Amino acid sequence: KHQRQLVDGSIESTSSLDWPQHHPTNDNTFTPIPIDIMADEFDLHICCMGAGYVGGPTMAVIAAKCPKVRVCVVDLSQKQIDAWNSPDLPIYEPGLPEVVAQCLGKNLFFSTDIDAEIKKADIVFISVNTPTKTMGIGAGRAANVKNCELCARKIAEVSESDKIVVEKSTVPVRTAQAVRRVLDCNERGLKFQVLSNPEFLAEGTAIPDLMSPDRVLIGGVQTPEGIAAAEKLAGVYANWVPREQILTTNLWSSELSKLVANAFLAQRVSSINSISALCEATGANVSEVSRCVGMDDRIGKRFLNSSIGFGGSCFQKDILNLVYLCETYGLQECADYWNQVILMNNYQKKRFSEKMVSSMFNTVTGKKIAILGFAFKKDTGDVRETPSMFVVRDLVMEQAKVHVYDPQVKREDMWVEMNYTCNLSEETHPGVEAAVTTSTSAYDACDGAHALAVLTEWDEFKELDYQKIYQKMAKPAFVFDGRNILDHEALRKIGFEVHAIGKPDPNKFSDL
């Protein structure tokens, strides 16, 4: 839990806030909203619909960078809003508590009074969940944009003045057209300008990503009114983002760019993971191959670390959305190409589970297995589409006794995701919750275990006393490194049998 630390002044000593406040620009297109004058009145009112992983941090940083802008995040969930107004924020993100504490009650607010906040806003952000459809047309691939439409209808219903409406949610191309049609049906004759402003955050580094973004993308209708709306939004970001990093496009390019960006990143993960399987079969070392390939400037080094696969709320959902879009427009070959990224990711997770079972004498029934890490990546508590979940599911189906330790994941969140994504719950599989224990430490999880599997790359797992862990494990003691973060040779000297993604097994090859 992170206690709120109040910070006097605008931006002070906390490390997460040590970025330049303002970048002057000679470009006259966007005039930054002045932020160096403190007063009781605000120059602009922003309302964000959705207090989740995107809306909360994004609005907190805007408030921190623009004290003359009043920002209010609204949500239907009283529990969620109460958490944002407390020291125990609803999401874990390094640096976020300090940013929220600095602005909360000054120019940053969280509320369930949705109607009132929409009425007073000049700009309304839509930042709600757009999950993959589970039934109906396009089930399993198409994005469900119901929440976006509901937000648009609420804005049209309660607004009393013209507004700029900004899509922050990741949506299929041409969703803005539907949003605009709903808004245009308002009964007061109000005029709404719809913009696309997708987020490019990485969980775990969201605050520095927002403070110093690679780019800010704003898409709008190429009319005088649409261009003016884009300029107004860009003026907010221009308080701290250099002008050359604020990109403006048409609406459809902006909506598609977010899907394509995530698809390209996921494609790199699946590409190196496909090579990891070949490395294990041939005796090559995937880390060496990755380093060699990544030194080519045309390819680059990032996202070339092999693992059990990608997870999180974006990659799979956005690729499936892209696949469905391609199919909708009759581009089946394109759809098949991008769908292979998903198939490879699923293969990697299944391959890891199967290797655990086969290495442990083809049975894990009744054996204690320690799972170190459940979040989809380090420095976050997010469990959506986490690869760990699928490994846990496979082990439970093999009747193993699974003990999970993660420093940020709550048991309740773990089971909510297991039920939603894997249909694994006490109702569907009686007794399943008793088969999965959540441990309070890595040492407790490993005590008496036949094997441990590192499934999230938390830094603390590199620093564990593995000699101490080995002494308390059943023998032979197995280590399965799904993130390639451990010293495998040191573990083998202790006595572990080590299996890692894309690394040759010395018991299999005598010519390494």
Side-chain angles (χ1 to χ4, degrees):
K1 295 189 177 183
H2 301 273
Q3 299 300 314
R4 286 200 292 147
Q5 178 182 354
L6 296 178
V7 180
D8 295 324
S10 57
I11 299 288
E12 287 197 354
S13 60
T14 52
S15 60
S16 63
L17 301 177
D18 289 339
W19 281 270
Q21 279 267 47
H22 175 68
H23 294 276
T25 176
N26 294 323
D27 189 288
N28 294 322
T29 304
F30 303 123
T31 303
I33 297 170
I35 65 172
D36 56 345
I37 301 174
M38 298 302 293
D40 293 333
E41 296 182 355
F42 297 104
D43 292 336
L44 192 72
H45 288 75
I46 291 176
C47 172
C48 177
M49 303 179 74
Y53 277 91
V54 174
T58 301
M59 294 302 117
V61 170
I62 288 178
K65 292 299 187 179
C66 308
K68 291 289 286 180
V69 176
R70 182 185 184 275
V71 179
C72 186
V73 184
V74 298
D75 201 282
L76 290 170
S77 170
Q78 186 68 55
K79 178 181 178 182
Q80 187 84 343
I81 292 301
D82 289 344
W84 279 109
N85 283 315
S86 76
D88 189 13
L89 301 185
I91 65 174
Y92 173 74
E93 191 67 43
L96 179 61
E98 293 82 0
V99 179
V100 172
Q102 173 194 321
C103 306
L104 190 62
K106 298 176 182 177
N107 69 324
L108 175 64
F109 304 89
F110 296 90
S111 173
T112 55
D113 193 352
I114 299 173
D115 291 12
E117 292 300 333
I118 291 175
K119 288 178 182 178
K120 70 179 66 170
D122 302 297
I123 301 176
V124 180
F125 283 81
I126 296 177
S127 184
V128 292
N129 192 23
T130 54
T132 302
K133 291 180 68 174
T134 57
M135 60 182 66
I137 299 173
R141 294 164 302 177
N144 189 339
V145 295
K146 175 195 70 173
N147 294 331
C148 289
E149 181 181 334
L150 290 175
C151 286
R153 291 187 180 279
K154 173 58 71 172
I155 295 169
E157 174 192 341
V158 305
S159 292
E160 298 175 345
S161 61
D162 297 349
K163 300 185 188 303
I164 297 171
V165 177
V166 184
E167 290 178 340
K168 200 69 179 172
S169 303
T170 302
V171 294
V173 184
R174 303 201 75 86
T175 298
Q177 186 177 34
V179 171
R180 193 167 56 194
R181 285 192 62 188
V182 170
L183 293 171
D184 287 345
C185 290
N186 75 89
E187 298 178 351
R188 296 182 179 88
L190 301 176
K191 300 297 182 182
F192 296 93
Q193 293 300 320
V194 179
L195 302 176
S196 169
N197 176 219
E199 52 84 17
F200 294 100
L201 308 179
E203 290 187 39
T205 60
I207 298 305
D209 289 346
L210 287 163
M211 293 284 190
S212 185
D214 294 329
R215 79 286 203 194
V216 171
L217 178 58
I218 301 173
V221 177
Q222 300 303 292
T223 63
E225 296 81 7
I227 293 171
E231 290 175 357
K232 190 167 187 177
L233 178 58
V236 175
Y237 288 111
N239 281 296
W240 76 97
V241 181
R243 172 61 187 91
E244 60 272 16
Q245 290 171 222
I246 301 176
L247 309 179
T248 55
T249 68
N250 70 38
L251 265 173
W252 323 124
S253 295
S254 178
E255 288 181 334
L256 182 58
S257 293
K258 175 58 192 296
L259 297 181
V260 173
N262 279 343
F264 272 51
L265 292 173
Q267 179 193 45
R268 287 174 68 91
V269 175
S270 282
S271 293
I272 196 63
N273 279 344
S274 72
I275 301 303
S276 73
L278 184 60
C279 287
E280 292 173 31
T282 62
N285 186 321
V286 72
S287 296
E288 295 174 347
V289 173
S290 175
R291 184 167 67 249
C292 177
V293 171
M295 291 182 73
D296 188 326
D297 288 339
R298 297 169 299 176
I299 299 173
K301 302 176 181 179
R302 302 193 65 185
F303 277 76
L304 288 181
N305 294 321
S306 59
S307 67
I308 55 172
F310 57 76
S313 64
C314 294
F315 281 7
Q316 175 153 316
K317 175 174 71 73
D318 291 353
I319 294 177
L320 290 172
N321 191 347
L322 189 61
V323 169
Y324 183 69
L325 281 171
C326 291
E327 291 176 341
T328 299
Y329 289 102
L331 305 173
Q332 190 58 49
E333 289 79 6
C334 300
D336 292 342
Y337 175 84
W338 287 110
N339 193 52
Q340 190 61 42
V341 175
I342 299 294
L343 296 179
M344 180 55 62
N345 195 54
N346 293 339
Y347 166 72
Q348 187 77 344
K349 292 178 288 190
K350 190 67 176 176
R351 192 171 72 86
F352 189 86
S353 299
E354 290 175 348
K355 186 164 190 175
M356 290 185 68
V357 175
S358 63
S359 299
M360 298 175 67
F361 317 115
N362 290 310
T363 179
V364 293
T365 300
K367 294 178 181 178
K368 178 179 179 180
I369 310 292
I371 300 296
L372 302 187
F374 196 84
F376 86 92
K377 62 184 289 189
K378 72 173 184 176
D379 293 332
T380 182
D382 196 349
V383 298
R384 289 175 290 181
E385 293 291 344
T386 176
S388 303
M389 166 176 54
F390 299 95
V391 176
V392 169
R393 177 201 62 189
D394 292 344
L395 293 174
V396 168
M397 293 297 100
E398 292 287 337
Q399 301 181 48
K401 297 177 180 178
V402 180
H403 288 242
V404 179
Y405 167 70
D406 189 289
Q408 289 298 331
V409 173
K410 300 175 182 177
R411 182 178 178 87
E412 176 186 1
D413 294 337
M414 184 178 78
W415 280 110
V416 167
E417 181 63 17
M418 293 276 279
N419 184 30
Y420 178 79
T421 302
C422 297
N423 194 31
L424 189 64
S425 68
E426 195 65 27
E427 291 183 2
T428 59
H429 296 79
V432 68
E433 289 200 26
V436 180
T437 301
T438 44
S439 301
T440 57
S441 74
Y443 294 105
D444 287 344
C446 295
D447 190 2
H450 291 76
L452 69 87
V454 177
L455 302 186
T456 308
E457 70 278 21
W458 287 103
D459 291 338
E460 69 177 80
F461 297 155
K462 303 175 187 178
E463 310 300 327
L464 295 174
D465 185 345
Y466 284 97
Q467 181 67 57
K468 174 182 175 181
I469 289 173
Y470 178 77
Q471 292 173 353
K472 293 190 175 183
M473 287 181 64
K475 308 299 185 298
F478 294 85
V479 170
F480 298 93
D481 189 353
R483 296 289 181 172
N484 285 341
I485 63 171
L486 304 181
D487 185 337
H488 303 147
E489 289 307 311
L491 291 174
R492 290 188 175 106
K493 289 180 180 178
I494 291 173
F496 287 104
E497 180 174 324
V498 180
H499 298 273
I501 297 284
K503 299 300 180 74
D505 183 353
N507 296 321
K508 181 179 179 181
F509 296 96
S510 58
D511 56 353
L512 299 177

